[in-house]
Every structure is written in C-alpha cells, then in structure tokens.
Amino acid sequence: MCFESLAVFFSDESSGFGPVFEEQPVDTIYPEESPEDKIIMSCRTRANPPATYRWRLDNTEIVIGNDDHYSLMGGNLVISFPDKSKHAGNYSCLASNEFGTLVSQKASVQFGYLDMFSSDEREAVYVKEGQGAVLLCAPPPHLPEDLSFRWMLNEFPEFILLDKRRFVSQTTGNLYISTVRASDSGNYSCFVSSPSIAKSVFSKFIPLVPIAEREKYPADIKVKSADTYTLMGQNITLECFALGNPIPQIRWRKVDGDLPVYRHNISMSGSLLHLYDIQYEDEGLYECEANNSKGKDRHKVHLYVEAPEWVEKISSSERDIGGDYIMSCLASGKPKPHVHFLKNGRMYAKNHELRFTDLTFDDSGMYQCIAENRHGTIYANAELRVFAGAPSFEWNPVKPKLLGAKNGRVVIDCKPRAAPQPSISWSKGTELLHNSSRIFIWPDGSLELLNVTKSDEGKYTCFAENDRGRANSTGSLSVTDATKITLAPSNADISVGESTRMECAASHDPTLDLTFIWSLDAHAIDFDQDREHYERKMAGTSSSELLISNTQLRHAGRYSCTAQTPVDNVTVSAELVVRGPPGPPGGVRVDEVMTSSVRVTWSHGTDNLSPISKYSVQYRDERAQQDWRDASTSPVNVEGNAEMASVINLTPWTEYEFRVIATNTLGTGPPSDPSPKITTREARPVVAPSEIGGGGGTSRELTITWTPVQPQYYYGSNFGYIIAFKPHNDPEWMRVTVTDPQTQKYVHKDSKIPPSTRFEVKMKAFNSQGEGPFSVSAFICSAQDGGDLTDVCFHLSSCRSSHHHRGEDAVGHRSRRNEASAQRVLVPSRENHTRLDNMKPNSHYLIEVRAYNGAGYGPASQRHKIYTKRAPPSRPPKIIGTKMNYSGTTINIAWEQVEPLANESTVEGYKVLYRPEGQPNGVLYTTVKQSIDLPMKKGDYLVEVRAHSEGGDGAVAQVRILYNSMAFILDDTFTNI
C-alpha cells in the first residue's frame, strides 16, 4: 500500500511516524564586529515519538557538553561567543526517533566584515565636456560579496540622483556619467554598504573637473554584464550603460526569443533588465543596444540556467512484507547532477534507484535522495515502512449503500489492509459467488456485475484471509432506472460575432437528481469565468439549453452534453463551426534589398474557413520611430494566393521592418510578427539645402547661410555639402566642400572681394555614392567696408495709399543710446525688404517704416527692437606647430586658443579651409579643438584657420604646404590676414 506523504500515510498519529522537517538551518553571516555574543542555527521537526537532535560541523559530529561554545535549545544549535577560527563552516542537523534519522540541508556560518577604504588621496579626473566619465569605486576587502553602492557629491549625505545620464553599477560600484557637463564639477565619494552586516564606509573624495569642449561622441557601452549562471526560481539583474553625447538610448531584447512577458522589468532608463522567477526557457542570449545620433553599440550576454531540479522524487510508502519495491528519483540540471541515497543519515547507495526484493522489517527507515551539482543541492525525504498483519476493514470498509443503473455495470471495491496479500471471496446473501458471464472477481478483489437487473439487488459481502487472520465487510446494492438522452444538440455553422444555441434533454430515475454538464473538446465550460460568451438555461428538471453569444474563433469545436445522476451518466455531442477573419501570416522575410525597394515573402496563415482574398504589407521606419504604415507594393493589389510582393517607394539608407496582414470576406486578421530589420542601400542624395541666403559680415567677407538637409534625406554615409559661388555675371565658379551636415553657415574671406559685390550662390549635397543636384541659385551681397560695423536685413509689407504713391518707402533706425540721431533709408515701392548697413555691433536699435508719396510721409509702423551681435574675434589664431605622421599620410596643424576682446563674441570653435593654392575651391572642416589632422596631398596647398563665433568668423591665419614624392616643405612664414 502506497501513500504520498507522512501526513496522509499515518493519519492515526498514535501509530507513530518518522521525522519531517518543518524548519531547517539556513546560511548565516555573523558580523565580526557584532555586539551579539551568539549564533542560533534553527532545526525543528514533526515526529511521533518526538525526535532527538544532533549536529555536525563539516561532517564531524559535535559533542554537546564537551565544548562550552555549543548548546542545544530544543533542536536549535546555539553557538556562544563565536570564534572565526573554530566555528566557521557548514552545519547540518540530524533528527532521529525509533522510525529512523533524517539529515537537514547544509547551512554555512561565515564571519562578515567590511574594511575601511584606503586613506590615500584620490587623483582628480579631468574630462572634456560632452565626453563620458568613469569614477572607480574600488571597494575595500569584504565578506560577503553582496554590497550596495551609492555616490556622494561634495558632502555627506548629499547622494547624487541617478537618471539616464548617470549610473552606478551594483556589480563594481563604479559611477558612470554618459555625457559630462559643467554642472558635474565637484568632489565625489563612493559610499559602500553591506546589508548582511549592517555596515557602511565611504572613500576619499575624487575631484571631477570638466574641461570646456562640446563635441559629440557615438554611444560606447562601458557597463557590460558578463555571462551569468543562475538557479531556477531566482531573480537576476543584467546591467548595461553607455557613454556618449547625445545621451544614448538603451534597449534590451532576447536574441533567441522573447523577453518573459510577466516576469521582466526594465528600469533606470533602460540600464537595468530585471528577470524574475527564472525558468529554463529564460536561458539564452540577451542583447543590450545603446544608440545616439552619432552611432550605436551592442553587447550580448549569455544567461545559463543550471540548477538541479527534481524530475521524479521519492515519497513515503508502506509496503507489504515479502513484496518487491523500487524507490527512484531523477534530477535534471546543467551540469548533470550527481544523485545518491542516505538511509537514517548514512550513505546508502550512489545511484538514482533502490530496488528491494522480498522486503523485511530491516528495510524500514528514513530515506533521503540528494541531487547536487556545482550550483546547489536538493533533498527529497521519505519513510519506508514494511507492514505485516491480518486483514482489516477498519480504514477502508465496503461501501454500505451501493447504487447501480438498470442494464448498467457495477463495481464493488474490496481493499482491506493486510500483509501478506490476502485471498478474496464474495457472497450475495448466503450464496457464494463465482466468475461467470455477468460476474467477475478481479485480481485486486473488486467485484464486477454486468447488465444489472432488479434481481441483483441485495447484500454483498467481501471475505479476506491470510496466514495472520481473516475479516469481512458488507454493502447493500439497489438498482435504479437508467438515464437516457431524449433531445440531442444539433451541429451549427456560424461566423465570428454571431450567436447560436444548443439544446439537450434526458429521462432519468425519479428518485435521483439529474444534472447537465456542458463541455468543449472534453473540457468543462466555466460559466462564471466566461459568462461574456456562455449562458446555461434550465427548462424544468430534465432539459438544458446552452447559449453562445458573440462567438469567437476559439469557441469552435465539439460540444458535449452530459446528463448525469449519482448512479450513471450519458453523453451526446455536436460540432460548432466558426468562420472568421484570417490568422496572421508567418515567416515574414526580406530579401532583394535595393535603394528604394525590397522583396517581402511570407507563408500563409490559417484562413479560418473563409478563403483569403488579399494581403497588405506595412512598414515601420526605425529612424523616424513612426507607427506602422501601409506600404506601396508591386503589384498594387496582392492577391490572396500570393506569398511575395515587392515594396517600393522606400527611402535609401534607412532601417525598416515589415509585417503582413491577411484579409477575407469576413474581415482583416491580426498582423504577422515583424520581419528582421534591414537597411536599404545607399544612393546619391536628391535633396539640396534650402533657404540659401546670407550676405553682410565684416569687410572683405561673403557670408553664406542655409537650412541643412534633414537626416532622413542623407541617403548614404559621409554626407556633406558643396557650395558653389561666383560674382554675378562671372563665368568661373568657386567651390567649397563642407563635411559637417549640421553646419548652417560658411564665411568666405578674400581680400580681393570688392565691397557690396552681388554673388550668385548654389548648393548641393553629396555622400559616399556621389553628388546630388544643385539648388536654385540665390543672390547675396558681400560685406560693405566699415571695420567693425555690422548690418541688418529688414523686410517690409506692401501698403496701399489713397494718394498717388510716389514710389518710395522710408525706413528709419536709431540707436537707443542716441535716439536723436535717427537715420533714414529710402526703398523703392516694389521692394518689401532692405538691408541696414554700418550699424554698430553689440547695440540696441529701434526700427520703424513709413510709406512716402507726393503728399508726404504716412503714419509710422509699429516699432521693432533689434540687438546687433558682438563683432567676431579680430585676432587670428596663432599657428604654433605642424607635424607630419610617420607614414606621411596626414599632417597635424596646431594653434593657440583665440581670446576675444571684451567687445567681441565668444569663440565657439574653429573653421579650417584646406585648398590648393591659387584656387578658391577646397574642403571646409569644423572643430572645437586647437589642432586638426589633415590628409597629405601632392602639390601646393593653403591651410586657412579662423575662429568662429556667434558674431561671425574671425581673422584668418594661413600656412602654406608644399609636398611631393621626394620632400615635404613647410613655408616657415605664417601669414596672418
């Protein structure tokens, strides 16, 4: 006889049972600086008679009484005045009574500590603004490993707040700042806490000194979780943080599957991926992607789930003396666990299975199956009891009142407790029963009656006998009318959203209660949980009606009605067919990737019993992060039997993903899973910069401005602009290359440019695939003479006059510093704008406009306030050095920082024009540094360096480079213009 557990096995506790653990020792950290003078290791069991307890330290039994440090309190072990040299180790508890001994799981005692940080001063960290910074924590020696980290700024307890720009790794303790700003300047200290011993320490302060510079940097992942091993059911956190400017955005995905829907969470602006209640299916490759406008970076981490887990484990059992029995346990895990058995606390067998033949009382005892690998140990405990005794029906008598349906089948159980196995016989009244065509006595002692009639009613007695005694038990059988179906449900065929009903009726014995059970595909319908779609109605006591409302595809299947009484039941079934929109297509793939088209293929999904009439393809542009949009396809209409279509009118050099949707006469189904992401090929740009204008500036300058092309129109890598300009009516064009696609202004300085010269300007874009078309020409004027004077362009609106218009407007402007000195500019009536020249830099002006004709001046417009900018730096950069690299491929030009005068604009960066001598065309570079590496080219070249500010470009410094295959000559005369 077999029982699942001791609690079920020995329901009469007076018979006794072996120990069952209710509390076991757990791993304990004892702080070395703890004011407590003892450690308590818990151990408690349920047993009858009560258990006695012993303890082991590292598999050596502790003798209580021989060592003043150890004592017992119930089953608990008390360690007084703990000593690291004596009491650290692994402890286990042994509980024993007359039925056997059990050993608890092992629990470690460790002595925890957290040392102070070194008193050495920390070196300052100098970082350019815009770059990332890493401040190292370097925690002091400690035990255990579980520490938590925070950082203080300037003083205690001013802890820095973490956000998408700042992150503290809970693995290393390091502080990461993705983009350093001037406001980050200060003194930082790493604050370390050990929750296990309730102690915290902090480091010497580390000065962080930002250096003024505002370049942008691509995303660069610096916090990378290593490949991780974890146990089933545990929670883990994966870290990922990147440096970069702009601040990178971080996203997580599972490369070989989906993140667990209800068991993951992402926090700290994407830097932390939390996985809860780890399962084997969570094992795999996880990827963190950091992305900003300058670039992206990826890191992959492998998660391994390797803990042992029971596949089959032992349970308590009572077995007859002389019988056979197999006790088996199987465990899974990586690496494969080792399995062994203990009996009464001692090694018994080093395999996963015990085979007993001809059981004796000596085989009784407490057995433990233990599975372990490098990640953990699991225990399964069971009691085996060998039983011998005369038959007894005390625990399981024959059922006293038995019912059977007419013409049906009745089985009467006879299961006395006995060992050895008893012989069984049956009688009806005084008549001894034997096997026949209607009567069978099974090997387990049960009595079976077939085709029952009223004549089978009466008292039935089971007799059991073995060599230790005999016993019997009696029950009375009554025969009732059989249950029959009188109305069966009918098949139905409907569409999604429609409703239907099924009816069922039955006849039954009037002395019995009749119930109806409705099921779908052998699963009983839960009318409370799914009351939105299912309703059951009773028509009297003998019929039932099932209403199905707003039917969905999942409601299709085989519906069964079961009419049931306490004695018998009968079942009939009907089919419900539900037709609906198609399911999602599968296996969406993309190939034949071109500049503006791709081929999308898929496999048919389910048509849900209505043929698919057409497919739609949708796309999503990752750069724009837009919602799904319908794609243009070839053919325009994708038929329902198709598994392929070309998507056209895409943008070159753009990352896309695609999905497919099927439609039939009943509606449109859900979309497929997205395809893998692809990037269309590069192509020449077709969009040129817009709103080309400019003019003005300081003497001998031509200032050209424009609105840059948006990134989605770059169409390829290495994007930039070509500026072509020339004096009006001059046949020769000058060309300049601008490599920064976000640049909005170029200033051409040339001492030969006459003041107020009209220039024609046009621009086009280029990338690695070639050049695009030129824009429409714009006409601007070079600056007038006037030293540090500046100019303003002012637009006018046309007006109507009741008098004859003389053909001129008057624009007046005056400085707020001297309002009496107003200046006037006359503008022809056909113009609606004019340029105001010779204005003072860094000044406040008021401007008004009046119409003028033969009758005089009209009323003034509303006054406009303007502020002219400070003048650009008047001093050129001082070139301090040039150096060619060893391979002769580049030359480095270096200069001193330009310091503007008090009335000049602050320097924002530098522009470097690299052009062949004697030609106006060249390549324009921009930088915020005081040096630049330029490619070496054969021939004579000029390098022009100027400071750039809000007020425009400053004075130019030139250096001449002469290079041929035999020699490199640098003109030793620096010319400042």
Side-chain angles (χ1 to χ4, degrees):
M1 190 175 294
C2 180
F3 296 83
E4 289 295 323
S5 67
L6 289 174
V8 176
F9 188 31
F10 304 116
S11 58
D12 179 8
E13 294 199 355
S14 63
S15 66
F17 54 89
V20 178
F21 279 112
E22 293 187 331
E23 187 174 2
Q24 300 189 57
V26 295
D27 293 340
T28 300
I29 302 294
Y30 178 78
E32 291 184 355
E33 304 172 11
S34 173
E36 295 288 334
D37 58 3
K38 61 184 176 182
I39 300 172
I40 298 177
M41 304 293 287
S42 299
C43 183
R44 181 165 54 89
T45 63
R46 176 169 52 85
N48 186 11
T52 59
Y53 298 91
R54 294 173 290 140
W55 285 81
R56 291 175 183 164
L57 169 58
D58 294 333
N59 296 321
T60 299
E61 189 158 333
I62 299 171
V63 180
I64 305 297
N66 288 358
D67 188 332
D68 293 338
H69 289 283
Y70 292 113
S71 60
L72 285 178
M73 186 172 61
N76 298 341
L77 177 66
V78 180
I79 309 173
S80 301
F81 304 104
D83 184 331
K84 182 178 181 179
S85 63
K86 295 180 181 180
H87 302 133
N90 293 311
Y91 289 78
S92 53
C93 169
L94 292 84
S96 304
N97 69 2
E98 65 185 61
F99 294 102
T101 299
L102 281 185
V103 180
S104 73
Q105 64 189 18
K106 290 182 179 180
S108 66
V109 170
Q110 294 178 293
F111 287 73
Y113 63 92
L114 175 59
D115 290 349
M116 302 297 290
F117 274 96
S118 168
S119 60
D120 294 342
E121 295 294 331
R122 298 282 190 109
E123 293 184 1
V125 176
Y126 296 87
V127 183
K128 295 178 182 179
E129 291 181 26
Q131 284 188 334
V134 182
L135 302 186
L136 304 181
C137 179
H142 56 277
L143 186 78
E145 289 299 321
D146 59 324
L147 299 178
S148 65
F149 301 91
R150 291 187 290 173
W151 281 76
M152 296 186 298
L153 177 59
N154 295 328
E155 60 182 346
F156 181 84
E158 294 297 325
F159 293 103
I160 67 170
L161 298 176
L162 303 182
D163 51 28
K164 63 182 180 180
R165 196 172 64 87
R166 293 176 291 195
F167 177 77
V168 175
S169 170
Q170 294 304 310
T171 302
T172 63
N174 298 340
L175 169 63
Y176 297 83
I177 305 175
S178 66
T179 302
V180 171
R181 298 172 179 169
S183 59
D184 293 323
S185 176
N187 297 311
Y188 291 77
S189 173
C190 180
F191 188 89
V192 181
S193 299
S194 175
S196 299
I197 64 173
K199 181 179 179 181
S200 300
V201 296
F202 58 89
S203 71
K204 283 281 190 177
F205 282 94
I206 306 171
L208 176 62
V209 183
I211 301 172
E213 183 176 299
R214 298 181 182 177
E215 283 200 15
K216 295 182 178 180
Y217 301 92
D220 182 14
I221 296 176
K222 290 298 184 184
V223 181
K224 305 175 180 180
S225 284
D227 288 349
T228 301
Y229 297 83
T230 186
L231 309 184
M232 282 277 293
Q234 286 194 339
N235 304 331
I236 67 162
T237 297
L238 301 180
E239 295 183 333
C240 179
F241 189 75
L243 310 183
N245 183 24
I247 300 169
Q249 302 295 318
I250 296 176
R251 293 187 297 180
W252 284 93
R253 72 183 183 101
K254 191 169 188 285
V255 177
D256 45 5
D258 297 324
L259 292 172
V261 178
Y262 300 109
R263 293 185 293 105
H264 87 275
N265 181 48
I266 296 175
S267 64
M268 288 299 298
S269 302
S271 297
L272 299 179
L273 170 62
H274 308 277
L275 299 174
Y276 306 109
D277 187 21
I278 292 293
Q279 303 299 310
Y280 276 121
E281 60 264 26
D282 298 327
E283 184 173 277
L285 199 60
Y286 292 78
E287 182 184 78
C288 155
E289 179 184 274
N291 185 21
N292 67 8
S293 60
K294 299 296 290 183
K296 64 177 62 175
D297 194 9
R298 293 184 176 92
H299 173 66
K300 293 183 176 69
V301 55
H302 209 124
L303 177 64
Y304 299 93
V305 183
E306 296 199 339
E309 181 185 32
W310 288 122
V311 176
E312 177 186 347
K313 60 183 180 180
I314 58 175
S315 58
S316 296
S317 179
E318 183 175 78
R319 292 289 163 174
D320 294 345
I321 193 169
D324 298 335
Y325 180 52
I326 296 176
M327 186 178 288
S328 175
C329 60
L330 294 174
S332 63
K334 299 176 187 176
K336 183 176 177 60
H338 299 288
V339 179
H340 63 275
F341 274 92
L342 303 181
K343 179 184 178 184
N344 294 329
R346 297 181 180 277
M347 178 63 70
Y348 188 73
K350 293 185 177 181
N351 53 53
H352 73 278
E353 186 177 85
L354 300 180
R355 290 180 175 268
F356 299 91
T357 58
D358 193 16
L359 284 163
T360 68
F361 291 121
D362 289 339
D363 294 318
S364 297
M366 304 301 299
Y367 290 83
Q368 291 178 280
C369 181
I370 301 173
E372 55 188 338
N373 63 14
R374 66 173 178 246
H375 301 294
T377 303
I378 53 177
Y379 294 73
N381 305 333
E383 179 179 353
L384 173 60
R385 185 172 299 183
V386 178
F387 169 76
S392 171
F393 287 96
E394 180 181 359
W395 303 106
N396 198 17
V398 173
K399 194 173 180 180
K401 292 185 178 180
L402 304 163
L403 294 176
K406 187 177 180 180
N407 298 322
R409 170 178 172 268
V410 174
V411 176
I412 308 174
D413 291 331
C414 178
K415 296 182 178 179
R417 185 180 183 189
Q421 183 76 23
S423 60
I424 301 294
S425 60
W426 283 89
S427 69
K428 178 188 176 189
T430 59
E431 178 188 358
L432 189 64
L433 299 178
H434 302 280
N435 286 342
S436 67
S437 60
R438 292 183 54 248
I439 300 174
F440 298 95
I441 300 176
W442 292 0
D444 68 354
S446 300
L447 174 66
E448 180 181 23
L449 306 177
L450 300 177
N451 299 321
V452 174
T453 65
K454 283 289 186 178
S455 63
D456 292 318
E457 293 184 329
K459 292 183 178 182
Y460 290 80
T461 302
C462 173
F463 298 90
E465 181 178 1
N466 66 9
D467 59 2
R468 294 174 179 262
R470 66 176 61 187
N472 63 77
S473 181
T474 301
S476 180
L477 174 65
S478 298
V479 178
T480 63
D481 291 337
T483 305
K484 297 179 181 179
I485 294 293
T486 58
L487 176 62
S490 301
N491 296 336
D493 188 330
I494 59 176
S495 299
V496 167
E498 295 180 346
S499 300
T500 189
R501 66 179 62 207
M502 293 186 177
E503 296 178 303
C504 184
S507 62
H508 65 290
D509 191 292
T511 64
L512 302 175
D513 292 330
L514 177 68
T515 59
F516 288 92
I517 300 173
W518 288 93
S519 60
L520 170 58
D521 295 333
H523 296 284
I525 296 172
D526 188 332
F527 289 92
D528 291 329
Q529 184 176 354
D530 207 359
R531 57 181 175 272
E532 179 183 353
H533 297 285
Y534 291 115
E535 182 182 358
R536 176 176 51 190
K537 291 185 176 181
M538 295 295 294
T541 59
S542 300
S543 63
S544 176
E545 184 178 46
L546 175 65
L547 303 179
I548 309 173
S549 304
N550 188 23
T551 310
Q552 303 300 307
L553 292 170
R554 67 179 184 273
H555 297 138
R558 187 173 185 82
Y559 284 82
S560 297
C561 168
T562 300
Q564 179 174 287
T565 69
V567 177
D568 65 344
N569 64 77
V570 61
T571 299
V572 290
S573 302
E575 291 288 338
L576 175 62
V577 175
V578 181
R579 304 177 189 272
V588 178
R589 302 183 306 278
V590 183
D591 57 15
E592 296 186 8
V593 179
M594 308 302 286
T595 57
S596 60
S597 66
V598 298
R599 185 177 72 169
V600 179
T601 60
W602 61 89
S603 58
H604 296 297
T606 57
D607 62 8
N608 292 324
L609 305 178
S610 179
I612 296 172
S613 56
K614 70 171 185 176
Y615 285 100
S616 302
V617 182
Q618 295 184 325
Y619 71 91
R620 183 162 60 187
D621 177 352
E622 284 300 304
R623 179 188 289 125
Q625 293 189 351
Q626 60 192 10
D627 293 333
W628 290 97
R629 297 185 178 182
D630 290 334
S632 299
T633 59
S634 176
V636 175
N637 298 315
V638 183
E639 301 294 335
N641 58 355
E643 292 184 296
M644 175 185 68
S646 293
V647 177
I648 58 177
N649 299 332
L650 298 175
T651 302
W653 202 51
T654 301
E655 189 175 56
Y656 288 101
E657 55 184 340
F658 300 87
R659 67 183 187 183
V660 182
I661 302 173
T663 300
N664 63 16
T665 57
L666 297 177
T668 297
S672 68
D673 290 335
S675 69
K677 295 176 183 178
I678 60 94
T679 300
T680 48
R681 292 186 180 181
E682 299 184 15
R684 291 185 180 185
V686 298
V687 176
S690 60
E691 299 182 9
I692 300 173
T698 59
S699 177
R700 311 298 176 177
E701 286 185 351
L702 174 65
T703 300
I704 302 171
T705 62
W706 63 88
T707 298
V709 174
Q710 294 299 310
Q712 61 264 34
Y713 300 115
Y714 287 179
Y715 287 10
S717 55
N718 302 323
F719 186 85
Y721 306 111
I722 294 174
I723 307 172
F725 56 95
K726 65 173 184 173
H728 189 47
N729 296 326
D730 194 321
E732 296 295 328
W733 289 90
M734 291 175 282
R735 289 165 61 100
V736 173
T737 301
V738 178
T739 58
D740 184 354
Q742 297 302 314
T743 300
Q744 303 181 55
K745 180 179 178 182
Y746 169 71
V747 178
H748 178 69
K749 289 181 177 287
D750 189 342
S751 59
K752 300 177 183 178
I753 297 179
S756 302
T757 300
R758 182 177 173 87
F759 274 81
E760 182 179 357
V761 181
K762 59 184 179 180
M763 293 182 67
K764 64 180 175 180
F766 70 89
N767 62 20
S768 59
Q769 300 300 306
E771 300 175 2
F774 271 114
S775 66
V776 176
S777 292
F779 295 91
I780 59 177
C781 293
S782 63
Q784 295 186 357
D785 282 336
D788 289 338
L789 299 182
T790 186
D791 51 56
V792 173
C793 185
F794 196 80
H795 289 260
L796 313 174
S797 299
S798 61
C799 63
R800 296 181 180 272
S801 172
S802 58
H803 295 279
H804 174 68
H805 200 291
R806 186 172 175 178
E808 292 178 320
D809 292 316
V811 179
H813 64 284
R814 59 191 174 196
S815 170
R816 288 292 297 270
R817 299 173 185 169
N818 187 7
E819 296 196 13
S821 59
Q823 303 179 40
R824 289 186 176 86
V825 176
L826 295 180
V827 182
S829 60
R830 66 178 178 273
E831 301 285 347
N832 71 342
H833 68 279
T834 190
R835 183 177 303 282
L836 305 180
D837 298 321
N838 300 324
M839 303 179 79
K840 295 179 179 180
N842 195 28
S843 299
H844 183 184
Y845 282 86
L846 298 174
I847 296 178
E848 63 184 30
V849 181
R850 298 171 183 261
Y852 174 71
N853 62 14
Y857 289 102
S861 67
Q862 180 181 356
R863 286 185 176 183
H864 288 265
K865 300 177 183 179
I866 65 167
Y867 298 86
T868 55
K869 298 175 181 178
R870 293 190 179 193
S874 59
R875 291 182 287 194
K878 182 180 179 181
I879 298 178
I880 59 176
T882 60
K883 185 177 180 181
M884 185 169 63
N885 70 347
Y886 291 111
S887 62
T889 57
T890 63
I891 182 171
N892 180 271
I893 310 294
W895 57 89
E896 289 184 350
Q897 169 76 32
V898 174
E899 297 295 337
L901 302 177
N903 63 341
E904 293 177 345
S905 299
T906 301
V907 174
E908 296 180 345
Y910 297 90
K911 292 184 177 180
V912 181
L913 181 63
Y914 189 32
R915 63 182 176 87
E917 187 173 11
Q919 296 186 23
N921 301 334
V923 179
L924 180 67
Y925 299 89
T926 59
T927 180
V928 295
K929 301 178 181 179
Q930 278 84 63
S931 66
I932 191 169
D933 290 320
L934 300 174
M936 284 298 298
K937 301 178 180 180
K938 291 184 180 180
D940 298 346
Y941 279 81
L942 280 180
V943 178
E944 299 180 352
V945 184
R946 56 170 65 87
H948 173 67
S949 70
E950 181 186 40
D953 295 340
V956 175
Q958 278 187 347
V959 62
R960 180 177 291 103
I961 299 171
L962 293 80
Y963 179 71
N964 57 44
S965 59
M966 301 297 295
F968 159 66
I969 302 174
L970 179 69
D971 193 332
D972 59 359
T973 302
F974 298 131
T975 304
N976 295 332
I977 299 177

